[in-house]
Each structure stands twice: as C-alpha cells, then as structure tokens.
mmCIF file of all heavy atoms in Angstrom:
data_model
loop_
_atom_site.group_PDB
_atom_site.id
_atom_site.type_symbol
_atom_site.label_atom_id
_atom_site.label_comp_id
_atom_site.label_asym_id
_atom_site.label_seq_id
_atom_site.Cartn_x
_atom_site.Cartn_y
_atom_site.Cartn_z
ATOM 1 N N ILE A 1 -4.343 5.397 -27.801
ATOM 2 C CA ILE A 1 -4.739 6.784 -28.334
ATOM 3 C C ILE A 1 -3.368 7.559 -28.609
ATOM 4 O O ILE A 1 -2.673 7.749 -27.631
ATOM 5 C CB ILE A 1 -5.696 7.542 -27.493
ATOM 6 C CG1 ILE A 1 -6.996 6.643 -27.243
ATOM 7 C CG2 ILE A 1 -6.055 8.878 -28.084
ATOM 8 C CD1 ILE A 1 -8.012 7.245 -26.211
ATOM 9 N N GLU A 2 -3.241 7.989 -29.792
ATOM 10 C CA GLU A 2 -2.073 8.778 -30.143
ATOM 11 C C GLU A 2 -2.536 10.126 -30.639
ATOM 12 O O GLU A 2 -3.331 10.143 -31.596
ATOM 13 C CB GLU A 2 -1.259 7.944 -31.125
ATOM 14 C CG GLU A 2 0.110 8.607 -31.524
ATOM 15 C CD GLU A 2 0.871 7.611 -32.524
ATOM 16 O OE1 GLU A 2 1.184 6.589 -32.110
ATOM 17 O OE2 GLU A 2 0.974 8.084 -33.633
ATOM 18 N N CYS A 3 -2.043 11.214 -30.116
ATOM 19 C CA CYS A 3 -2.507 12.543 -30.546
ATOM 20 C C CYS A 3 -1.201 13.333 -30.894
ATOM 21 O O CYS A 3 -0.238 13.309 -30.246
ATOM 22 C CB CYS A 3 -3.089 13.200 -29.352
ATOM 23 S SG CYS A 3 -4.312 12.360 -28.543
ATOM 24 N N ILE A 4 -1.383 14.180 -31.893
ATOM 25 C CA ILE A 4 -0.411 15.196 -32.316
ATOM 26 C C ILE A 4 -1.035 16.512 -32.093
ATOM 27 O O ILE A 4 -2.110 16.728 -32.794
ATOM 28 C CB ILE A 4 0.024 14.982 -33.811
ATOM 29 C CG1 ILE A 4 0.569 13.529 -34.161
ATOM 30 C CG2 ILE A 4 1.071 15.977 -34.153
ATOM 31 C CD1 ILE A 4 1.717 13.156 -33.385
ATOM 32 N N LEU A 5 -0.596 17.274 -31.140
ATOM 33 C CA LEU A 5 -1.227 18.461 -30.633
ATOM 34 C C LEU A 5 -0.321 19.713 -30.644
ATOM 35 O O LEU A 5 0.853 19.527 -30.696
ATOM 36 C CB LEU A 5 -1.761 18.148 -29.319
ATOM 37 C CG LEU A 5 -2.615 16.922 -29.080
ATOM 38 C CD1 LEU A 5 -2.865 16.621 -27.632
ATOM 39 C CD2 LEU A 5 -3.989 17.167 -29.759
ATOM 40 N N ARG A 6 -1.056 20.809 -30.477
ATOM 41 C CA ARG A 6 -0.269 22.102 -30.293
ATOM 42 C C ARG A 6 0.516 21.993 -28.930
ATOM 43 O O ARG A 6 -0.198 21.618 -27.863
ATOM 44 C CB ARG A 6 -1.189 23.267 -30.128
ATOM 45 C CG ARG A 6 -1.867 23.578 -31.395
ATOM 46 C CD ARG A 6 -2.922 24.703 -31.246
ATOM 47 N NE ARG A 6 -3.683 24.892 -32.420
ATOM 48 C CZ ARG A 6 -3.275 25.757 -33.467
ATOM 49 N NH1 ARG A 6 -2.190 26.362 -33.353
ATOM 50 N NH2 ARG A 6 -4.135 25.804 -34.525
ATOM 51 N N PRO A 7 1.676 22.332 -28.777
ATOM 52 C CA PRO A 7 2.384 22.167 -27.486
ATOM 53 C C PRO A 7 1.668 23.013 -26.306
ATOM 54 O O PRO A 7 1.728 22.780 -25.271
ATOM 55 C CB PRO A 7 3.852 22.775 -27.753
ATOM 56 C CG PRO A 7 4.006 22.544 -29.260
ATOM 57 C CD PRO A 7 2.622 22.710 -29.875
ATOM 58 N N SER A 8 1.077 24.135 -26.705
ATOM 59 C CA SER A 8 0.460 25.059 -25.742
ATOM 60 C C SER A 8 -0.774 24.397 -25.055
ATOM 61 O O SER A 8 -1.188 24.894 -24.015
ATOM 62 C CB SER A 8 0.017 26.283 -26.418
ATOM 63 O OG SER A 8 -0.992 26.110 -27.455
ATOM 64 N N LYS A 9 -1.219 23.293 -25.547
ATOM 65 C CA LYS A 9 -2.472 22.608 -25.100
ATOM 66 C C LYS A 9 -2.126 21.537 -24.103
ATOM 67 O O LYS A 9 -3.022 21.009 -23.476
ATOM 68 C CB LYS A 9 -3.298 22.066 -26.182
ATOM 69 C CG LYS A 9 -3.892 23.218 -27.083
ATOM 70 C CD LYS A 9 -4.965 23.949 -26.290
ATOM 71 C CE LYS A 9 -5.708 24.948 -27.115
ATOM 72 N NZ LYS A 9 -6.854 25.446 -26.330
ATOM 73 N N ILE A 10 -0.937 21.122 -24.007
ATOM 74 C CA ILE A 10 -0.561 19.739 -23.335
ATOM 75 C C ILE A 10 -1.006 19.757 -21.871
ATOM 76 O O ILE A 10 -1.415 18.871 -21.404
ATOM 77 C CB ILE A 10 0.822 19.321 -23.524
ATOM 78 C CG1 ILE A 10 1.108 18.030 -23.007
ATOM 79 C CG2 ILE A 10 1.828 20.367 -22.964
ATOM 80 C CD1 ILE A 10 0.186 16.829 -23.499
ATOM 81 N N LEU A 11 -0.707 20.844 -21.121
ATOM 82 C CA LEU A 11 -0.912 20.958 -19.656
ATOM 83 C C LEU A 11 -2.530 20.914 -19.472
ATOM 84 O O LEU A 11 -2.960 20.220 -18.583
ATOM 85 C CB LEU A 11 -0.277 22.061 -19.010
ATOM 86 C CG LEU A 11 1.169 22.035 -18.920
ATOM 87 C CD1 LEU A 11 1.733 23.299 -18.137
ATOM 88 C CD2 LEU A 11 1.642 20.857 -18.109
ATOM 89 N N GLU A 12 -3.139 21.622 -20.269
ATOM 90 C CA GLU A 12 -4.624 21.617 -20.152
ATOM 91 C C GLU A 12 -5.277 20.280 -20.433
ATOM 92 O O GLU A 12 -6.257 19.777 -19.710
ATOM 93 C CB GLU A 12 -5.263 22.761 -21.075
ATOM 94 C CG GLU A 12 -6.719 23.013 -20.936
ATOM 95 C CD GLU A 12 -7.191 24.151 -21.707
ATOM 96 O OE1 GLU A 12 -6.336 24.842 -22.545
ATOM 97 O OE2 GLU A 12 -8.454 24.323 -21.860
ATOM 98 N N ILE A 13 -4.720 19.513 -21.434
ATOM 99 C CA ILE A 13 -5.235 18.289 -21.877
ATOM 100 C C ILE A 13 -4.824 17.326 -20.717
ATOM 101 O O ILE A 13 -5.663 16.503 -20.247
ATOM 102 C CB ILE A 13 -4.620 17.787 -23.180
ATOM 103 C CG1 ILE A 13 -5.394 18.674 -24.248
ATOM 104 C CG2 ILE A 13 -4.664 16.271 -23.337
ATOM 105 C CD1 ILE A 13 -4.690 18.405 -25.590
ATOM 106 N N LYS A 14 -3.650 17.361 -20.132
ATOM 107 C CA LYS A 14 -3.247 16.558 -19.040
ATOM 108 C C LYS A 14 -4.146 16.668 -17.812
ATOM 109 O O LYS A 14 -4.642 15.620 -17.250
ATOM 110 C CB LYS A 14 -1.744 16.843 -18.698
ATOM 111 C CG LYS A 14 -1.287 15.952 -17.432
ATOM 112 C CD LYS A 14 0.138 16.468 -16.955
ATOM 113 C CE LYS A 14 0.506 15.877 -15.692
ATOM 114 N NZ LYS A 14 -0.222 16.173 -14.587
ATOM 115 N N ASN A 15 -4.512 17.868 -17.479
ATOM 116 C CA ASN A 15 -5.342 18.224 -16.459
ATOM 117 C C ASN A 15 -6.838 17.607 -16.658
ATOM 118 O O ASN A 15 -7.483 17.064 -15.815
ATOM 119 C CB ASN A 15 -5.428 19.648 -16.090
ATOM 120 C CG ASN A 15 -3.972 20.075 -15.476
ATOM 121 O OD1 ASN A 15 -3.297 19.282 -14.921
ATOM 122 N ND2 ASN A 15 -3.780 21.315 -15.541
ATOM 123 N N ALA A 16 -7.355 17.947 -17.885
ATOM 124 C CA ALA A 16 -8.637 17.411 -18.194
ATOM 125 C C ALA A 16 -8.695 15.876 -18.202
ATOM 126 O O ALA A 16 -9.746 15.343 -17.738
ATOM 127 C CB ALA A 16 -9.072 17.974 -19.617
ATOM 128 N N LEU A 17 -7.764 15.239 -18.754
ATOM 129 C CA LEU A 17 -7.737 13.743 -18.601
ATOM 130 C C LEU A 17 -7.614 13.302 -17.292
ATOM 131 O O LEU A 17 -8.271 12.267 -16.865
ATOM 132 C CB LEU A 17 -6.570 13.243 -19.480
ATOM 133 C CG LEU A 17 -6.824 13.426 -21.037
ATOM 134 C CD1 LEU A 17 -5.483 12.986 -21.859
ATOM 135 C CD2 LEU A 17 -7.999 12.627 -21.516
ATOM 136 N N GLY A 18 -6.777 13.898 -16.458
ATOM 137 C CA GLY A 18 -6.708 13.532 -14.923
ATOM 138 C C GLY A 18 -8.095 13.734 -14.384
ATOM 139 O O GLY A 18 -8.420 12.787 -13.490
ATOM 140 N N ASN A 19 -8.825 14.618 -14.686
ATOM 141 C CA ASN A 19 -10.206 14.810 -14.121
ATOM 142 C C ASN A 19 -11.149 13.699 -14.453
ATOM 143 O O ASN A 19 -12.235 13.449 -13.698
ATOM 144 C CB ASN A 19 -10.839 16.100 -14.540
ATOM 145 C CG ASN A 19 -10.091 17.315 -13.905
ATOM 146 O OD1 ASN A 19 -9.433 17.238 -12.901
ATOM 147 N ND2 ASN A 19 -10.237 18.552 -14.510
ATOM 148 N N ILE A 20 -10.870 12.845 -15.503
ATOM 149 C CA ILE A 20 -11.750 11.824 -15.894
ATOM 150 C C ILE A 20 -11.103 10.427 -15.511
ATOM 151 O O ILE A 20 -11.580 9.378 -15.934
ATOM 152 C CB ILE A 20 -12.165 11.910 -17.336
ATOM 153 C CG1 ILE A 20 -11.141 11.767 -18.321
ATOM 154 C CG2 ILE A 20 -13.117 13.150 -17.651
ATOM 155 C CD1 ILE A 20 -11.428 11.525 -19.784
ATOM 156 N N GLY A 21 -9.958 10.578 -14.813
ATOM 157 C CA GLY A 21 -9.293 9.303 -14.346
ATOM 158 C C GLY A 21 -8.258 8.776 -15.276
ATOM 159 O O GLY A 21 -7.676 7.626 -14.893
ATOM 160 N N VAL A 22 -7.690 9.544 -16.227
ATOM 161 C CA VAL A 22 -6.606 9.034 -17.054
ATOM 162 C C VAL A 22 -5.413 9.713 -16.460
ATOM 163 O O VAL A 22 -5.286 11.025 -16.603
ATOM 164 C CB VAL A 22 -6.806 9.335 -18.549
ATOM 165 C CG1 VAL A 22 -5.677 8.911 -19.402
ATOM 166 C CG2 VAL A 22 -8.259 8.709 -19.025
ATOM 167 N N HIS A 23 -4.499 9.044 -15.995
ATOM 168 C CA HIS A 23 -3.261 9.551 -15.460
ATOM 169 C C HIS A 23 -1.915 9.107 -16.125
ATOM 170 O O HIS A 23 -0.910 9.790 -16.120
ATOM 171 C CB HIS A 23 -3.165 9.356 -13.884
ATOM 172 C CG HIS A 23 -4.395 9.739 -13.208
ATOM 173 N ND1 HIS A 23 -4.609 11.034 -12.944
ATOM 174 C CD2 HIS A 23 -5.421 9.143 -12.592
ATOM 175 C CE1 HIS A 23 -5.696 11.228 -12.271
ATOM 176 N NE2 HIS A 23 -6.195 9.896 -12.113
ATOM 177 N N GLY A 24 -1.982 8.023 -16.857
ATOM 178 C CA GLY A 24 -0.756 7.515 -17.509
ATOM 179 C C GLY A 24 -0.713 7.938 -18.995
ATOM 180 O O GLY A 24 -1.709 7.713 -19.660
ATOM 181 N N MET A 25 0.441 8.533 -19.331
ATOM 182 C CA MET A 25 0.449 8.906 -20.706
ATOM 183 C C MET A 25 2.017 9.219 -20.960
ATOM 184 O O MET A 25 2.786 9.362 -20.028
ATOM 185 C CB MET A 25 -0.194 10.200 -21.086
ATOM 186 C CG MET A 25 0.174 11.412 -20.275
ATOM 187 S SD MET A 25 -0.805 12.852 -20.539
ATOM 188 C CE MET A 25 -2.323 12.464 -19.888
ATOM 189 N N THR A 26 2.378 9.169 -22.230
ATOM 190 C CA THR A 26 3.768 9.393 -22.683
ATOM 191 C C THR A 26 3.609 10.689 -23.507
ATOM 192 O O THR A 26 2.885 10.734 -24.426
ATOM 193 C CB THR A 26 4.371 8.297 -23.414
ATOM 194 O OG1 THR A 26 4.334 7.060 -22.618
ATOM 195 C CG2 THR A 26 5.827 8.540 -23.874
ATOM 196 N N VAL A 27 4.515 11.662 -23.223
ATOM 197 C CA VAL A 27 4.497 12.975 -23.965
ATOM 198 C C VAL A 27 5.827 13.094 -24.654
ATOM 199 O O VAL A 27 6.938 13.020 -23.963
ATOM 200 C CB VAL A 27 4.111 14.060 -23.138
ATOM 201 C CG1 VAL A 27 4.197 15.362 -23.786
ATOM 202 C CG2 VAL A 27 2.800 13.888 -22.419
ATOM 203 N N THR A 28 5.857 13.399 -25.963
ATOM 204 C CA THR A 28 7.121 13.550 -26.728
ATOM 205 C C THR A 28 7.082 14.797 -27.532
ATOM 206 O O THR A 28 6.114 15.054 -28.117
ATOM 207 C CB THR A 28 7.305 12.391 -27.701
ATOM 208 O OG1 THR A 28 7.090 11.117 -27.022
ATOM 209 C CG2 THR A 28 8.527 12.438 -28.388
ATOM 210 N N GLU A 29 8.133 15.606 -27.444
ATOM 211 C CA GLU A 29 8.231 16.770 -28.292
ATOM 212 C C GLU A 29 8.472 16.228 -29.695
ATOM 213 O O GLU A 29 9.186 15.388 -29.994
ATOM 214 C CB GLU A 29 9.402 17.676 -27.869
ATOM 215 C CG GLU A 29 9.094 18.270 -26.605
ATOM 216 C CD GLU A 29 10.336 19.257 -26.178
ATOM 217 O OE1 GLU A 29 11.243 19.529 -26.994
ATOM 218 O OE2 GLU A 29 10.264 19.669 -24.952
ATOM 219 N N ALA A 30 7.777 16.944 -30.722
ATOM 220 C CA ALA A 30 7.898 16.502 -32.129
ATOM 221 C C ALA A 30 7.966 17.734 -32.934
ATOM 222 O O ALA A 30 7.600 18.819 -32.468
ATOM 223 C CB ALA A 30 6.689 15.575 -32.439
ATOM 224 N N ILE A 31 8.293 17.571 -34.267
ATOM 225 C CA ILE A 31 8.095 18.533 -35.244
ATOM 226 C C ILE A 31 7.430 18.030 -36.500
ATOM 227 O O ILE A 31 7.532 16.711 -36.772
ATOM 228 C CB ILE A 31 9.432 19.179 -35.653
ATOM 229 C CG1 ILE A 31 10.472 18.183 -36.214
ATOM 230 C CG2 ILE A 31 10.031 19.959 -34.472
ATOM 231 C CD1 ILE A 31 11.779 18.758 -36.745
ATOM 232 N N GLY A 32 6.639 18.774 -37.133
ATOM 233 C CA GLY A 32 5.996 18.191 -38.361
ATOM 234 C C GLY A 32 5.281 19.230 -39.077
ATOM 235 O O GLY A 32 5.187 20.373 -38.687
ATOM 236 N N CYS A 33 4.634 18.781 -40.137
ATOM 237 C CA CYS A 33 3.669 19.606 -40.885
ATOM 238 C C CYS A 33 2.609 18.913 -41.484
ATOM 239 O O CYS A 33 2.850 17.649 -41.798
ATOM 240 C CB CYS A 33 4.437 20.575 -41.921
ATOM 241 S SG CYS A 33 5.089 19.613 -43.309
ATOM 242 N N GLY A 34 1.393 19.452 -41.741
ATOM 243 C CA GLY A 34 0.281 18.752 -42.378
ATOM 244 C C GLY A 34 -0.344 19.798 -43.209
ATOM 245 O O GLY A 34 0.330 20.458 -44.084
ATOM 246 N N LEU A 35 -1.707 19.945 -43.071
ATOM 247 C CA LEU A 35 -2.325 21.040 -44.017
ATOM 248 C C LEU A 35 -1.798 22.333 -43.666
ATOM 249 O O LEU A 35 -1.813 23.228 -44.582
ATOM 250 C CB LEU A 35 -3.839 20.988 -43.576
ATOM 251 C CG LEU A 35 -4.604 19.773 -43.966
ATOM 252 C CD1 LEU A 35 -6.090 19.868 -43.540
ATOM 253 C CD2 LEU A 35 -4.559 19.681 -45.560
ATOM 254 N N GLN A 36 -1.276 22.640 -42.484
ATOM 255 C CA GLN A 36 -0.730 23.854 -42.202
ATOM 256 C C GLN A 36 0.571 24.225 -43.069
ATOM 257 O O GLN A 36 0.764 25.391 -43.280
ATOM 258 C CB GLN A 36 -0.158 23.774 -40.684
ATOM 259 C CG GLN A 36 -0.281 25.105 -39.937
ATOM 260 C CD GLN A 36 0.096 24.852 -38.489
ATOM 261 O OE1 GLN A 36 0.139 23.659 -38.013
ATOM 262 N NE2 GLN A 36 0.079 25.862 -37.672
ATOM 263 N N LYS A 37 1.151 23.225 -43.531
ATOM 264 C CA LYS A 37 2.320 23.298 -44.359
ATOM 265 C C LYS A 37 3.454 24.165 -43.863
ATOM 266 O O LYS A 37 4.184 24.764 -44.677
ATOM 267 C CB LYS A 37 1.908 23.782 -45.832
ATOM 268 C CG LYS A 37 1.051 22.754 -46.528
ATOM 269 C CD LYS A 37 0.756 23.087 -47.878
ATOM 270 C CE LYS A 37 0.023 22.008 -48.585
ATOM 271 N NZ LYS A 37 -1.283 22.160 -48.790
ATOM 272 N N GLY A 38 3.555 24.312 -42.536
ATOM 273 C CA GLY A 38 4.667 25.096 -41.961
ATOM 274 C C GLY A 38 4.482 26.483 -42.324
ATOM 275 O O GLY A 38 3.308 26.989 -42.590
ATOM 276 N N HIS A 39 5.576 27.330 -42.434
ATOM 277 C CA HIS A 39 5.390 28.668 -42.850
ATOM 278 C C HIS A 39 6.743 29.036 -43.514
ATOM 279 O O HIS A 39 7.723 28.295 -43.459
ATOM 280 C CB HIS A 39 5.306 29.513 -41.481
ATOM 281 C CG HIS A 39 6.417 29.393 -40.561
ATOM 282 N ND1 HIS A 39 6.577 28.407 -39.600
ATOM 283 C CD2 HIS A 39 7.610 30.125 -40.336
ATOM 284 C CE1 HIS A 39 7.607 28.595 -38.939
ATOM 285 N NE2 HIS A 39 8.266 29.610 -39.338
ATOM 286 N N ILE A 40 6.663 30.147 -44.189
ATOM 287 C CA ILE A 40 7.819 30.561 -45.003
ATOM 288 C C ILE A 40 8.802 31.378 -44.006
ATOM 289 O O ILE A 40 8.212 32.284 -43.359
ATOM 290 C CB ILE A 40 7.426 31.314 -46.177
ATOM 291 C CG1 ILE A 40 6.675 30.565 -47.173
ATOM 292 C CG2 ILE A 40 8.700 32.045 -46.898
ATOM 293 C CD1 ILE A 40 6.116 31.311 -48.475
ATOM 294 N N ASP A 41 10.040 31.098 -43.966
ATOM 295 C CA ASP A 41 10.998 31.834 -43.057
ATOM 296 C C ASP A 41 11.041 33.271 -43.639
ATOM 297 O O ASP A 41 11.354 33.382 -44.868
ATOM 298 C CB ASP A 41 12.338 31.177 -43.166
ATOM 299 C CG ASP A 41 13.363 31.588 -42.192
ATOM 300 O OD1 ASP A 41 13.235 32.831 -41.907
ATOM 301 O OD2 ASP A 41 14.160 30.912 -41.827
ATOM 302 N N PRO A 42 10.871 34.260 -42.766
ATOM 303 C CA PRO A 42 10.918 35.597 -43.220
ATOM 304 C C PRO A 42 12.226 35.906 -43.988
ATOM 305 O O PRO A 42 12.333 36.767 -44.846
ATOM 306 C CB PRO A 42 10.814 36.458 -42.010
ATOM 307 C CG PRO A 42 10.118 35.552 -41.084
ATOM 308 C CD PRO A 42 10.529 34.058 -41.347
ATOM 309 N N ASP A 43 13.344 35.169 -43.634
ATOM 310 C CA ASP A 43 14.559 35.425 -44.308
ATOM 311 C C ASP A 43 14.664 34.839 -45.744
ATOM 312 O O ASP A 43 15.536 35.292 -46.413
ATOM 313 C CB ASP A 43 15.683 34.786 -43.448
ATOM 314 C CG ASP A 43 15.899 35.431 -42.112
ATOM 315 O OD1 ASP A 43 15.601 36.587 -42.016
ATOM 316 O OD2 ASP A 43 16.353 34.698 -41.255
ATOM 317 N N ASP A 44 13.661 34.044 -46.011
ATOM 318 C CA ASP A 44 13.696 33.489 -47.361
ATOM 319 C C ASP A 44 12.553 34.032 -48.232
ATOM 320 O O ASP A 44 12.301 33.517 -49.315
ATOM 321 C CB ASP A 44 13.450 32.021 -47.324
ATOM 322 C CG ASP A 44 14.685 31.215 -46.785
ATOM 323 O OD1 ASP A 44 15.821 31.769 -46.804
ATOM 324 O OD2 ASP A 44 14.523 30.083 -46.311
ATOM 325 N N LEU A 45 11.981 35.132 -47.918
ATOM 326 C CA LEU A 45 10.965 35.709 -48.616
ATOM 327 C C LEU A 45 11.150 35.941 -50.000
ATOM 328 O O LEU A 45 10.388 35.990 -50.993
ATOM 329 C CB LEU A 45 10.233 36.795 -47.932
ATOM 330 C CG LEU A 45 9.418 36.659 -46.724
ATOM 331 C CD1 LEU A 45 8.978 37.945 -46.098
ATOM 332 C CD2 LEU A 45 8.201 35.805 -47.112
ATOM 333 N N GLU A 46 12.601 36.380 -50.280
ATOM 334 C CA GLU A 46 12.873 36.751 -51.708
ATOM 335 C C GLU A 46 12.896 35.593 -52.585
ATOM 336 O O GLU A 46 12.909 35.734 -53.849
ATOM 337 C CB GLU A 46 14.372 37.373 -51.707
ATOM 338 C CG GLU A 46 15.513 36.511 -51.274
ATOM 339 C CD GLU A 46 15.677 36.459 -49.742
ATOM 340 O OE1 GLU A 46 15.002 37.048 -49.024
ATOM 341 O OE2 GLU A 46 16.659 35.735 -49.384
ATOM 342 N N ASN A 47 12.898 34.357 -51.955
ATOM 343 C CA ASN A 47 12.976 33.044 -52.831
ATOM 344 C C ASN A 47 11.622 32.419 -52.893
ATOM 345 O O ASN A 47 11.359 31.337 -53.385
ATOM 346 C CB ASN A 47 13.934 32.192 -52.292
ATOM 347 C CG ASN A 47 15.397 32.611 -52.301
ATOM 348 O OD1 ASN A 47 15.793 33.301 -53.272
ATOM 349 N ND2 ASN A 47 16.209 32.310 -51.302
ATOM 350 N N TRP A 48 10.596 33.014 -52.335
ATOM 351 C CA TRP A 48 9.249 32.436 -52.148
ATOM 352 C C TRP A 48 8.617 31.851 -53.579
ATOM 353 O O TRP A 48 7.968 30.913 -53.472
ATOM 354 C CB TRP A 48 8.223 33.342 -51.438
ATOM 355 C CG TRP A 48 7.705 34.427 -52.354
ATOM 356 C CD1 TRP A 48 8.210 35.632 -52.400
ATOM 357 C CD2 TRP A 48 6.586 34.440 -53.191
ATOM 358 N NE1 TRP A 48 7.481 36.465 -53.383
ATOM 359 C CE2 TRP A 48 6.433 35.561 -53.789
ATOM 360 C CE3 TRP A 48 5.631 33.363 -53.512
ATOM 361 C CZ2 TRP A 48 5.375 35.925 -54.681
ATOM 362 C CZ3 TRP A 48 4.618 33.761 -54.463
ATOM 363 C CH2 TRP A 48 4.515 34.984 -55.029
#
C-alpha cells in the first residue's frame, strides 16, 4: 500500500494503523501536485 498524503496527517495515520496492528511502514517526504495544481506564488501574481 502506497499513499501520498498531507504531511499534517502522518502522525494520526501512524497511530490509527498501530491501533489495528500495522507497525511497519516507510515514510518519505515528497513534493508534488495533482488536481490541486499547486498554487501561484504571491511574488509572481503580476505574471499570472
């Protein structure tokens, strides 16, 4: 199972999985964009 998630959710997910007996996982910091398409940098608003 491979998940791409909000960083703010990782500890809650780790604890919830631990509660159902899943203790082994690999966690990696990543960057990306999908439907969210990132955001426009406020410094670049003149070029939007």
Side-chain angles (χ1 to χ4, degrees):
I1 299 173
E2 183 177 296
C3 314
I4 308 298
L5 306 165
R6 296 176 186 272
S8 62
K9 293 291 189 173
I10 186 58
L11 289 179
E12 193 177 348
I13 287 170
K14 179 187 170 293
N15 292 334
L17 291 173
N19 289 339
I20 63 169
V22 176
H23 302 288
M25 63 184 68
T26 300
V27 178
T28 309
E29 291 181 9
I31 57 172
C33 64
L35 289 177
Q36 210 171 356
K37 295 189 171 93
H39 62 276
I40 296 176
D41 187 333
D43 296 333
D44 288 338
L45 284 177
E46 67 273 2
N47 298 323
W48 74 269

